[in-house]
């Protein structure tokens, strides 16, 4: 059918024209256009649109992946940004673009390549080998059939072939690798002289007028975001454990029921003489082996003290014969069950009869016994008490969690009834904004950031719940929020403080401190720059600290901007000088000596691989840019509001 349409394109255009024209008369041009193009297109690739529904689905999938990866720390406000949405749209464009290139150039993947790719997936392997059963199980768990998965994978592999030749051929030029290697390993001997801002703080002044002027010019930078004061309940292990008393008789009962846990069980050391007889051997061979073992058993029983010598002569166990048959202290499951049972039933220095196992026939002697040692109750009482309390708390936590779930909904405008019903303390914290907890010095007493519960209150899910419309405006309780399996929170907004610019009286001290920092830093910089001019003119080097040697690989814990300044100095004329701001301080750098580094072969090879990878990514981007131009990729106006987080305007 599709081949017919391609072959008879002009006929199909005529037929479509006959169908379309009457519809214009019936519904109007504008209505028809809206009907056909009702779903906005955000971009086009070779004239084919990327619909908003495609973007929305990819966007939901991306956020869900972040949610699964980050758990309770997932915060859409941080991750769902215009930059992230723009990046996602560009990824969809590149996927569509590469798929179109693969289709146009008839890229394909052989069955063998497909099979090898699937077999190399770790999730479908068992002991390092492809498992058809695991393959079917993994696909079934994702709701996929083998046919659908293989078709999709074949398509993805074909698309990957578009850029594959670029990546394979990408190599950073050797001259570039060597140049970067030399820059990384070059050593420079420098001296530093610091002009500390703190030394100039007493020499600068800040007047009330300075503070007022700064406040007037920078009011908006002081704006405090909308914040809430929250009441909340915390149900955790500590709350569930509170008030639980463990009776002495319960401790004693627990001790009697679990005695084996509070000491070491009996241990037995044994030796054996083995006559080999594999399960697959003939009946006659097994009879002969048993007869030999019975004869050895009689000799061992007659002279138990000579068991070790007899084992050295007669045992066919190459691992123990030379040690007189010694098996060491017998651990659980270290010997066949029949041997374990025989060892357990013998007294010290007693010799068994013939014991059969899958390896053959054994004659066993117990050479030592360590009796079981149980710690007295007094020694383990605290441990048992803690274990019982934890078990009771676990059951109580589940019961309290159920009650909390109901209580926060029974009276939606208060948490006090829930607190009373469960015996929990109703707590209060202020300074919680949509973006995080405000600094304690900005909020004052009762700030969330200074609270022991700061980590709980700063959880993205908690902040999202507090700023939900019904909770924020109507002061209703949030639902119960599970931060961890043993930590639940319920909250309500007690007060809302709108976004505001604080009055001058509240911020004048911080403004004064800021201006003092800025002016003392400026004074230090001016003094440093003046000294630098004198050094560059006269070459004197007074006041510098002891010399140290640095490289880009080993910066000696110096700030990166200071290292960069030292490495940029011209080594043609030494000594060379420069100055750089380091925080509020100003530091002069004197370059004394430059030495070539000593690159090692392993480091050079690693650097080459890293640069090759970066070079390949750059070439990939260059090819994608060229393909975008060739396939006339356009990002349409409807994409702008979607990227900003809204919806496209109606057409």
């Amino acid at each position: 059918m599709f081949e017919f349409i391609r072959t008879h394109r002009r006929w199909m255009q005529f037929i479509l024209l006959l169908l379309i024209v009457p519809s214009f008369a019936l519904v109007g041009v504008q209505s028809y256009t809206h009907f056909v193009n009702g779903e906005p297109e955000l971009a086009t690739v070779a004239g084919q649109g990327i619909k908003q529904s495609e973007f929305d689905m990819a966007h939901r999938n991306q956020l869900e992946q972040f949610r699964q990866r980050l758990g309770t720390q997932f915060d859409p406000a941080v991750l769902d940004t215009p930059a992230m949405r723009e990046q996602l749209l560009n990824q969809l464009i590149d996927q569509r673009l590469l798929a179109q290139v693969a289709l146009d150039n008839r890229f394909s993947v052989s069955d063998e390549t497909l099979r090898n790719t699937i077999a190399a997936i770790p999730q479908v392997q068992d002991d390092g080998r492809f498992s058809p059963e695991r393959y079917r199980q993994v696909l079934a768990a994702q709701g996929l059939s083998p046919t659908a998965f293989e078709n999709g994978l074949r398509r993805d592999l074909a698309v990957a072939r578009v850029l594959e030749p670029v990546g394979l051929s990408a190599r950073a030029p050797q001259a570039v690798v060597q140049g970067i290697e030399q820059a990384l390993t070059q050593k420079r001997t420098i001296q530093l002289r610091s002009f500390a801002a703190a030394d100039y703080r007493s020499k600068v002044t800040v007047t009330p007028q300075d503070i007022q002027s700064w406040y007037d010019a920078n009011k908006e930078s002081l704006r405090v975001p909308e914040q809430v004061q929250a009441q909340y309940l915390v149900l955790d292990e500590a709350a569930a454990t509170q008030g639980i008393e463990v009776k002495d008789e319960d401790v004693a009962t627990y001790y009697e029921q679990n005695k084996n846990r509070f000491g070491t069980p009996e241990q037995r050391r044994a030796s054996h003489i083995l006559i080999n007889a594999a399960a697959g051997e003939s009946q006659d061979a097994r009879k002969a082996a048993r007869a030999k073992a019975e004869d050895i058993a009689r000799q061992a029983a007659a002279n138990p003290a000579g068991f070790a010598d007899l084992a050295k002569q007669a045992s066919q166990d190459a691992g123990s014969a030379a040690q007189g048959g010694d098996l060491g202290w017998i651990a659980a499951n270290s010997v066949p069950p029949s041997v374990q049972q025989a060892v357990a039933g013998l007294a010290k220095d007693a010799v068994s009869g013939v014991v059969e196992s899958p390896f053959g026939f054994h004659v066993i002697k117990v050479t030592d016994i360590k009796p079981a040692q149980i710690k007295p109750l007094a020694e383990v009482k605290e441990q048992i008490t803690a274990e019982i309390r934890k078990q009771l708390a676990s059951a109580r936590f589940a019961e309290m969690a159920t009650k909390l779930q109901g209580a926060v909904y029974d009276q939606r405008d208060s948490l006090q009834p829930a607190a009373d019903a469960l015996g929990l303390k109703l707590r209060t914290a202020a300074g919680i904004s949509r973006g995080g907890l405000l600094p304690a010095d900005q909020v004052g007493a009762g700030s969330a950031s200074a609270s022991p519960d700061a980590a709980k209150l700063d959880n993205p899910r908690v902040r999202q719940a507090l700023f939900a419309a019904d909770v924020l405006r109507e002061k209703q309780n949030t639902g119960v929020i599970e931060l961890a399996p043993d930590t639940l929170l319920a909250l309500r907004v007690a007060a809302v403080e709108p976004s505001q610019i604080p009055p001058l009286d509240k911020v004048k001290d911080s403004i004064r401190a800021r201006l003092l920092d800025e002016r003392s830093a400026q004074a230090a910089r001016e003094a440093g720059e003046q000294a630098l001019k004198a050094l560059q003119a006269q070459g004197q080097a007074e006041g510098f600290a002891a010399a140290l040697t640095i490289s880009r690989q080993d910066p000696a814990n110096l700030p990166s901007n200071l290292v960069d300044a030292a490495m940029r100095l011209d080594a043609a004329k030494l000594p060379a000088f420069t100055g750089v701001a380091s925080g509020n301080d100003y530091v002069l750098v004197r370059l004394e000596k430059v030495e070539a580094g000593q690159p090692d072969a392993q480091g050079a090879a690693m650097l080459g691989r890293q640069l090759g990878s970066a070079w390949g990514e750059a070439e990939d981007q260059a090819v994608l840019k060229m393909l975008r131009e060739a396939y006339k990729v356009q990002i349409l106006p409807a994409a702008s509001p979607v990227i900003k987080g809204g919806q496209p305007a109606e057409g």
Side-chain angles (χ1 to χ4, degrees), residues 25-197:
L26 292 173
V27 299
V29 174
Q30 183 175 359
S31 298
Y32 184 81
T33 302
H34 185 271
F35 173 76
V36 174
N37 299 313
E39 185 180 354
E41 291 183 349
L42 306 185
T44 58
V45 178
Q48 300 297 314
I50 294 177
K51 306 287 187 181
Q52 187 184 351
S53 59
E54 297 176 63
F55 177 86
D56 290 342
M57 180 179 294
H59 187 226
R60 285 192 298 270
N61 290 340
Q62 183 186 59
L63 291 180
E64 183 57 32
Q65 288 174 1
F66 282 129
R67 191 189 312 277
Q68 292 177 2
R69 190 181 312 157
L70 299 175
T72 59
Q73 294 302 313
F74 171 72
D75 187 354
V78 175
L79 297 169
D80 189 15
T81 62
M84 293 289 285
R85 288 189 287 272
E86 183 177 16
Q87 182 183 37
L88 178 61
L89 178 59
N90 278 305
Q91 289 173 354
L92 291 177
I93 291 171
D94 290 342
Q95 290 170 5
R96 178 73 64 85
L97 176 63
L98 293 174
Q100 189 63 48
V101 174
L103 181 65
D104 290 349
N105 291 273
R106 300 186 179 184
F107 287 175
S108 62
V109 173
S110 67
D111 292 342
E112 182 181 3
T113 299
L114 182 65
R115 283 194 300 270
N116 292 339
T117 302
I118 293 173
I121 300 173
Q123 288 81 358
V124 301
Q125 293 178 348
D126 191 1
D127 290 333
R129 300 183 65 182
F130 173 74
S131 168
E133 183 178 355
R134 283 189 60 82
Y135 177 55
R136 288 190 294 271
Q137 289 173 348
V138 170
L139 293 184
Q142 300 180 33
L144 294 172
S145 68
T147 301
F149 174 74
E150 288 161 16
N151 287 341
L153 181 59
R154 189 188 295 272
R155 181 181 60 250
D156 292 343
L157 291 173
V159 170
R161 290 190 59 195
V162 176
L163 292 178
E164 185 179 30
V166 179
L168 291 175
S169 62
R171 295 289 186 278
Q174 191 60 30
V176 173
V177 176
Q178 290 176 349
I180 294 177
E181 183 182 27
Q182 290 170 5
L184 288 172
T185 59
Q186 184 189 79
K187 295 180 180 180
R188 293 195 167 202
T189 301
I190 62 171
Q191 291 177 283
L192 304 178
R193 180 182 174 187
S194 180
F195 291 80

Side-chain angles (χ1 to χ4, degrees), residues 459 461-462 465-466 478-484 487-491:
N459 186 283
R461 293 174 59 202
V462 171
L466 283 172
T478 67
V480 175
I481 302 171
E482 182 180 343
L483 298 183
T487 306
L488 305 178
L489 256 69
L491 309 96

Side-chain angles (χ1 to χ4, degrees), residues 134-432:
R134 283 189 60 82
Y135 177 55
R136 288 190 294 271
Q137 289 173 348
V138 170
L139 293 184
Q142 300 180 33
L144 294 172
S145 68
T147 301
F149 174 74
E150 288 161 16
N151 287 341
L153 181 59
R154 189 188 295 272
R155 181 181 60 250
D156 292 343
L157 291 173
V159 170
R161 290 190 59 195
V162 176
L163 292 178
E164 185 179 30
V166 179
L168 291 175
S169 62
R171 295 289 186 278
Q174 191 60 30
V176 173
V177 176
Q178 290 176 349
I180 294 177
E181 183 182 27
Q182 290 170 5
L184 288 172
T185 59
Q186 184 189 79
K187 295 180 180 180
R188 293 195 167 202
T189 301
I190 62 171
Q191 291 177 283
L192 304 178
R193 180 182 174 187
S194 180
F195 291 80
D199 295 341
Y200 297 87
R201 198 175 183 88
S202 61
K203 301 176 184 178
V204 298
T205 58
V206 174
T207 67
Q209 183 57 43
D210 293 334
I211 295 173
Q212 181 69 56
S213 298
W214 192 96
Y215 178 79
D216 293 338
N218 298 277
K219 278 184 178 180
E220 197 58 36
S221 67
L222 299 172
R223 179 175 292 280
V224 178
E226 182 182 36
Q227 58 182 293
V228 300
Q229 181 188 66
Q231 293 179 331
Y232 63 101
L233 300 175
V234 177
L235 176 56
D236 54 14
E237 184 178 349
T241 306
Q242 189 173 6
I244 291 179
E245 294 184 2
V246 180
K247 299 177 181 178
D248 288 345
E249 52 265 35
D250 293 334
V251 173
T253 301
Y254 190 94
Y255 175 76
E256 290 298 328
Q257 292 174 346
N258 298 274
K259 262 189 176 181
N260 290 338
R261 288 184 49 219
F262 304 111
T264 56
E266 180 186 74
Q267 293 179 282
R268 289 173 170 253
R269 186 165 191 163
S271 297
H272 81 145
I273 298 170
L274 172 65
I275 303 302
N276 292 326
E281 290 188 7
S282 67
Q283 194 68 22
D284 290 342
R286 290 186 63 80
K287 283 182 179 180
R290 176 179 280 277
K292 185 174 181 180
E294 288 173 346
D295 180 55
I296 291 172
R298 285 191 292 270
Q299 295 179 52
N303 181 22
F307 189 92
D309 292 334
L310 184 59
K312 290 177 182 179
Q313 297 169 13
S315 180
Q316 296 175 355
D317 179 9
S320 68
Q323 286 75 43
D326 183 29
L327 295 173
W329 295 100
I330 305 300
N333 302 321
S334 64
V335 295
S338 57
V339 175
Q340 183 100 30
Q341 185 177 0
V343 170
L346 291 171
K348 183 180 177 182
D349 294 329
V351 177
S352 72
V354 175
V355 178
E356 184 175 355
S357 82
F359 302 104
F361 301 98
H362 307 255
V363 179
I364 301 166
K365 177 186 176 182
V366 172
T367 57
D368 200 359
I369 298 176
K370 288 182 182 178
Q373 294 181 346
I374 306 297
K375 294 179 182 178
L377 174 58
E379 192 174 333
V380 295
K381 183 176 180 180
E382 288 187 10
Q383 177 186 345
I384 293 174
T385 301
E387 290 182 9
I388 295 175
R389 184 179 287 112
K390 188 169 185 178
Q391 291 177 5
L392 293 174
S394 178
R396 188 179 178 192
F397 180 88
E399 180 183 347
M400 293 176 72
T402 302
K403 286 184 179 179
L404 182 62
Q405 289 278 6
V408 297
Y409 288 107
D410 287 344
Q411 187 170 338
R412 292 298 308 275
D413 61 351
S414 176
L415 287 173
Q416 191 62 56
D420 295 339
L422 279 79
L424 298 175
K425 180 183 177 182
L426 186 60
R427 312 179 194 185
T428 303
I432 305 173

